[in-house]
Amino acid sequence: MPSRDLLSLRQQVEALQQQNALLEARLASHQQHDQDFYRSLFDTMDEGFCIIEFFDGPHGPLSDYVHVLANAAYAKHAGIPNVVGQKLREMVPDEADDWVARYGAVLRTGEPLHFEQELVATGHVLSVTTFRVEPAEKRQVAVLFKDVTARRRAGHAPQPLNEEL
């Protein structure tokens, strides 16, 4: 191959490498922007949100979970701060079986679930929507919730008056 053809090929390769570097830099910038955008949404949303990850505990397979991610609103709605890294059975041992049963069913079946339940440890009544994080092998469930204690109490307030009448 003549040297001028080799020189031309080298120049083309260098031009392609420069173009590739520019594209990679743009992609990284877009990815960082997306991460910042979604992090901002996560941090500012009013609903509590967390991702829990099940593990095999002393009570059997998939009998406990740890909070791997939570937003600031988690503490506001559930009344429990700094949950990331905390295990359910250490946080609320007396209530753990109920929460494991509900979220465990979502993990096993992949069927989303909506329910209301009191977190007895804090007295907060939570309206919860939960769904499995795919793939199922991750053993993770996402939980979106809101404190509805005031609404629940307001709904029950007329009850004694109605009974008296």
Side-chain angles (χ1 to χ4, degrees), residues 70-105:
N71 67 353
Y74 185 106
K76 172 185 168 187
H77 291 285
I80 303 173
N82 306 315
V83 297
V84 174
Q86 289 193 48
K87 297 173 186 171
L88 174 71
R89 291 192 181 278
E90 292 173 359
M91 292 171 48
V92 290
D94 296 337
E95 302 175 61
D97 288 338
D98 289 339
W99 293 102
V100 165
R102 284 191 187 264
Y103 296 144

Short mmCIF file of all heavy atoms in Angstrom, two decimals, residues 70-105:
data_model
loop_
_atom_site.label_atom_id
_atom_site.label_comp_id
_atom_site.label_asym_id
_atom_site.label_seq_id
_atom_site.Cartn_x
_atom_site.Cartn_y
_atom_site.Cartn_z
N ALA A 70 -34.22 6.13 49.52
CA ALA A 70 -35.40 6.81 50.06
C ALA A 70 -35.24 8.31 49.85
O ALA A 70 -34.13 8.84 49.91
CB ALA A 70 -35.57 6.50 51.54
N ASN A 71 -36.37 8.97 49.62
CA ASN A 71 -36.31 10.42 49.46
C ASN A 71 -36.60 11.10 50.81
O ASN A 71 -36.95 10.45 51.79
CB ASN A 71 -37.26 10.90 48.36
CG ASN A 71 -38.73 10.71 48.69
OD1 ASN A 71 -39.10 10.10 49.69
ND2 ASN A 71 -39.59 11.22 47.83
N ALA A 72 -36.47 12.43 50.83
CA ALA A 72 -36.67 13.18 52.07
C ALA A 72 -38.11 13.08 52.56
O ALA A 72 -38.36 13.10 53.77
CB ALA A 72 -36.28 14.64 51.85
N ALA A 73 -39.06 12.97 51.65
CA ALA A 73 -40.46 12.90 52.03
C ALA A 73 -40.79 11.59 52.78
O ALA A 73 -41.84 11.50 53.41
CB ALA A 73 -41.35 13.05 50.81
N TYR A 74 -39.92 10.62 52.70
CA TYR A 74 -40.14 9.38 53.44
C TYR A 74 -40.32 9.70 54.92
O TYR A 74 -41.28 9.27 55.56
CB TYR A 74 -38.97 8.42 53.24
CG TYR A 74 -39.17 7.06 53.89
CD1 TYR A 74 -39.45 5.94 53.12
CD2 TYR A 74 -39.11 6.90 55.27
CE1 TYR A 74 -39.65 4.71 53.71
CE2 TYR A 74 -39.31 5.67 55.86
CZ TYR A 74 -39.59 4.58 55.07
OH TYR A 74 -39.80 3.36 55.66
N ALA A 75 -39.39 10.46 55.48
CA ALA A 75 -39.44 10.80 56.90
C ALA A 75 -40.69 11.61 57.23
O ALA A 75 -41.32 11.40 58.27
CB ALA A 75 -38.19 11.56 57.31
N LYS A 76 -41.06 12.52 56.35
CA LYS A 76 -42.24 13.36 56.56
C LYS A 76 -43.51 12.51 56.67
O LYS A 76 -44.33 12.72 57.57
CB LYS A 76 -42.38 14.35 55.41
CG LYS A 76 -43.66 15.14 55.40
CD LYS A 76 -43.73 15.99 54.14
CE LYS A 76 -45.13 16.57 53.96
NZ LYS A 76 -45.27 17.25 52.69
N HIS A 77 -43.67 11.56 55.76
CA HIS A 77 -44.91 10.78 55.73
C HIS A 77 -44.92 9.59 56.68
O HIS A 77 -45.96 9.26 57.25
CB HIS A 77 -45.21 10.32 54.30
CG HIS A 77 -45.58 11.46 53.40
ND1 HIS A 77 -46.81 12.07 53.45
CD2 HIS A 77 -44.87 12.12 52.45
CE1 HIS A 77 -46.85 13.05 52.55
NE2 HIS A 77 -45.68 13.10 51.94
N ALA A 78 -43.79 8.92 56.83
CA ALA A 78 -43.74 7.73 57.68
C ALA A 78 -43.35 8.06 59.12
O ALA A 78 -43.64 7.28 60.03
CB ALA A 78 -42.77 6.70 57.11
N GLY A 79 -42.67 9.19 59.30
CA GLY A 79 -42.24 9.55 60.64
C GLY A 79 -40.98 8.85 61.09
O GLY A 79 -40.66 8.82 62.27
N ILE A 80 -40.24 8.30 60.13
CA ILE A 80 -38.98 7.62 60.44
C ILE A 80 -37.88 8.22 59.58
O ILE A 80 -37.90 8.06 58.36
CB ILE A 80 -39.06 6.10 60.19
CG1 ILE A 80 -40.21 5.48 61.00
CG2 ILE A 80 -37.73 5.42 60.54
CD1 ILE A 80 -40.46 4.02 60.67
N PRO A 81 -36.91 8.90 60.18
CA PRO A 81 -35.82 9.51 59.39
C PRO A 81 -34.70 8.52 59.10
O PRO A 81 -34.58 7.48 59.75
CB PRO A 81 -35.32 10.62 60.31
CG PRO A 81 -35.58 10.10 61.69
CD PRO A 81 -36.84 9.27 61.59
N ASN A 82 -33.90 8.86 58.11
CA ASN A 82 -32.65 8.13 57.81
C ASN A 82 -32.83 6.63 57.68
O ASN A 82 -32.17 5.84 58.35
CB ASN A 82 -31.59 8.43 58.88
CG ASN A 82 -31.37 9.90 59.07
OD1 ASN A 82 -31.27 10.65 58.10
ND2 ASN A 82 -31.32 10.34 60.31
N VAL A 83 -33.72 6.21 56.79
CA VAL A 83 -34.02 4.78 56.66
C VAL A 83 -33.06 4.01 55.76
O VAL A 83 -33.01 2.78 55.84
CB VAL A 83 -35.46 4.53 56.18
CG1 VAL A 83 -36.45 5.07 57.18
CG2 VAL A 83 -35.69 5.11 54.81
N VAL A 84 -32.33 4.71 54.91
CA VAL A 84 -31.43 3.99 53.99
C VAL A 84 -30.43 3.18 54.80
O VAL A 84 -29.76 3.69 55.70
CB VAL A 84 -30.73 4.96 53.02
CG1 VAL A 84 -29.69 4.23 52.18
CG2 VAL A 84 -31.75 5.65 52.12
N GLY A 85 -30.36 1.90 54.47
CA GLY A 85 -29.47 0.98 55.18
C GLY A 85 -30.13 0.29 56.37
O GLY A 85 -29.56 -0.64 56.93
N GLN A 86 -31.32 0.73 56.75
CA GLN A 86 -31.99 0.11 57.89
C GLN A 86 -32.81 -1.11 57.46
O GLN A 86 -33.44 -1.11 56.41
CB GLN A 86 -32.92 1.12 58.57
CG GLN A 86 -32.19 2.21 59.31
CD GLN A 86 -33.13 2.98 60.23
OE1 GLN A 86 -33.90 2.39 60.99
NE2 GLN A 86 -33.07 4.30 60.16
N LYS A 87 -32.79 -2.11 58.31
CA LYS A 87 -33.57 -3.32 58.07
C LYS A 87 -34.94 -3.18 58.73
O LYS A 87 -35.06 -2.64 59.83
CB LYS A 87 -32.84 -4.53 58.65
CG LYS A 87 -31.51 -4.79 57.99
CD LYS A 87 -30.76 -5.88 58.70
CE LYS A 87 -29.37 -6.03 58.12
NZ LYS A 87 -28.54 -6.94 58.91
N LEU A 88 -35.95 -3.68 58.07
CA LEU A 88 -37.31 -3.57 58.57
C LEU A 88 -37.45 -4.15 59.98
O LEU A 88 -38.01 -3.52 60.87
CB LEU A 88 -38.29 -4.29 57.63
CG LEU A 88 -39.73 -4.37 58.13
CD1 LEU A 88 -40.38 -2.99 58.10
CD2 LEU A 88 -40.53 -5.37 57.36
N ARG A 89 -36.95 -5.36 60.18
CA ARG A 89 -37.15 -6.04 61.47
C ARG A 89 -36.42 -5.35 62.62
O ARG A 89 -36.76 -5.57 63.78
CB ARG A 89 -36.75 -7.51 61.37
CG ARG A 89 -37.71 -8.28 60.48
CD ARG A 89 -37.55 -9.78 60.58
NE ARG A 89 -38.47 -10.46 59.70
CZ ARG A 89 -39.74 -10.71 60.00
NH1 ARG A 89 -40.23 -10.35 61.17
NH2 ARG A 89 -40.52 -11.33 59.14
N GLU A 90 -35.46 -4.49 62.30
CA GLU A 90 -34.81 -3.69 63.34
C GLU A 90 -35.58 -2.39 63.59
O GLU A 90 -35.58 -1.87 64.69
CB GLU A 90 -33.36 -3.38 62.95
CG GLU A 90 -32.49 -4.62 62.93
CD GLU A 90 -31.10 -4.36 62.38
OE1 GLU A 90 -30.80 -3.22 61.97
OE2 GLU A 90 -30.30 -5.32 62.34
N MET A 91 -36.25 -1.88 62.54
CA MET A 91 -36.99 -0.63 62.66
C MET A 91 -38.32 -0.82 63.38
O MET A 91 -38.65 -0.06 64.28
CB MET A 91 -37.27 -0.05 61.26
CG MET A 91 -36.06 0.44 60.53
SD MET A 91 -36.42 0.86 58.80
CE MET A 91 -37.86 1.87 58.91
N VAL A 92 -39.09 -1.79 62.93
CA VAL A 92 -40.44 -2.02 63.47
C VAL A 92 -40.66 -3.53 63.66
O VAL A 92 -41.44 -4.15 62.96
CB VAL A 92 -41.54 -1.41 62.56
CG1 VAL A 92 -41.51 0.10 62.61
CG2 VAL A 92 -41.40 -1.88 61.11
N PRO A 93 -39.99 -4.12 64.62
CA PRO A 93 -40.05 -5.58 64.78
C PRO A 93 -41.45 -6.13 64.99
O PRO A 93 -41.76 -7.21 64.49
CB PRO A 93 -39.15 -5.85 65.98
CG PRO A 93 -38.95 -4.55 66.67
CD PRO A 93 -39.17 -3.47 65.65
N ASP A 94 -42.29 -5.40 65.69
CA ASP A 94 -43.64 -5.91 65.97
C ASP A 94 -44.55 -5.90 64.75
O ASP A 94 -45.55 -6.61 64.72
CB ASP A 94 -44.30 -5.09 67.09
CG ASP A 94 -43.55 -5.23 68.41
OD1 ASP A 94 -42.84 -6.24 68.59
OD2 ASP A 94 -43.65 -4.32 69.25
N GLU A 95 -44.23 -5.09 63.74
CA GLU A 95 -45.06 -4.97 62.56
C GLU A 95 -44.46 -5.62 61.32
O GLU A 95 -45.08 -5.65 60.26
CB GLU A 95 -45.27 -3.48 62.23
CG GLU A 95 -45.90 -2.69 63.33
CD GLU A 95 -45.97 -1.23 62.97
OE1 GLU A 95 -46.62 -0.87 61.96
OE2 GLU A 95 -45.36 -0.42 63.71
N ALA A 96 -43.25 -6.13 61.44
CA ALA A 96 -42.49 -6.60 60.28
C ALA A 96 -43.23 -7.66 59.47
O ALA A 96 -43.23 -7.60 58.24
CB ALA A 96 -41.13 -7.11 60.72
N ASP A 97 -43.86 -8.61 60.13
CA ASP A 97 -44.51 -9.70 59.39
C ASP A 97 -45.57 -9.17 58.42
O ASP A 97 -45.67 -9.67 57.29
CB ASP A 97 -45.14 -10.71 60.36
CG ASP A 97 -44.09 -11.54 61.09
OD1 ASP A 97 -42.96 -11.65 60.59
OD2 ASP A 97 -44.43 -12.08 62.17
N ASP A 98 -46.36 -8.19 58.85
CA ASP A 98 -47.41 -7.64 57.97
C ASP A 98 -46.81 -6.96 56.74
O ASP A 98 -47.28 -7.16 55.62
CB ASP A 98 -48.29 -6.63 58.72
CG ASP A 98 -49.19 -7.30 59.75
OD1 ASP A 98 -49.43 -8.52 59.63
OD2 ASP A 98 -49.65 -6.59 60.67
N TRP A 99 -45.77 -6.14 56.95
CA TRP A 99 -45.17 -5.42 55.82
C TRP A 99 -44.46 -6.39 54.88
O TRP A 99 -44.55 -6.26 53.67
CB TRP A 99 -44.21 -4.34 56.33
CG TRP A 99 -44.92 -3.24 57.05
CD1 TRP A 99 -45.00 -3.05 58.40
CD2 TRP A 99 -45.71 -2.19 56.46
NE1 TRP A 99 -45.77 -1.95 58.69
CE2 TRP A 99 -46.21 -1.40 57.52
CE3 TRP A 99 -46.02 -1.83 55.16
CZ2 TRP A 99 -47.01 -0.28 57.31
CZ3 TRP A 99 -46.82 -0.72 54.94
CH2 TRP A 99 -47.31 0.05 56.00
N VAL A 100 -43.77 -7.38 55.44
CA VAL A 100 -43.08 -8.38 54.61
C VAL A 100 -44.10 -9.16 53.78
O VAL A 100 -43.87 -9.43 52.60
CB VAL A 100 -42.23 -9.35 55.48
CG1 VAL A 100 -41.81 -10.58 54.70
CG2 VAL A 100 -40.99 -8.63 55.99
N ALA A 101 -45.23 -9.49 54.38
CA ALA A 101 -46.26 -10.26 53.65
C ALA A 101 -46.79 -9.44 52.47
O ALA A 101 -46.92 -9.96 51.35
CB ALA A 101 -47.41 -10.63 54.59
N ARG A 102 -47.09 -8.18 52.69
CA ARG A 102 -47.64 -7.35 51.61
C ARG A 102 -46.62 -7.15 50.49
O ARG A 102 -46.90 -7.39 49.33
CB ARG A 102 -48.10 -5.99 52.14
CG ARG A 102 -49.40 -6.05 52.90
CD ARG A 102 -49.88 -4.63 53.14
NE ARG A 102 -51.03 -4.56 54.00
CZ ARG A 102 -52.27 -4.48 53.57
NH1 ARG A 102 -52.53 -4.50 52.29
NH2 ARG A 102 -53.26 -4.38 54.43
N TYR A 103 -45.46 -6.67 50.87
CA TYR A 103 -44.44 -6.38 49.84
C TYR A 103 -43.87 -7.65 49.24
O TYR A 103 -43.49 -7.68 48.07
CB TYR A 103 -43.32 -5.51 50.41
CG TYR A 103 -43.78 -4.14 50.86
CD1 TYR A 103 -43.23 -3.54 51.98
CD2 TYR A 103 -44.75 -3.43 50.16
CE1 TYR A 103 -43.64 -2.27 52.39
CE2 TYR A 103 -45.17 -2.18 50.57
CZ TYR A 103 -44.60 -1.60 51.68
OH TYR A 103 -45.00 -0.36 52.08
N GLY A 104 -43.81 -8.72 50.04
CA GLY A 104 -43.33 -10.00 49.53
C GLY A 104 -44.24 -10.54 48.43
O GLY A 104 -43.77 -11.12 47.45
N ALA A 105 -45.55 -10.34 48.59
CA ALA A 105 -46.50 -10.78 47.55
C ALA A 105 -46.26 -10.02 46.25
O ALA A 105 -46.31 -10.60 45.16
CB ALA A 105 -47.93 -10.57 48.03
#
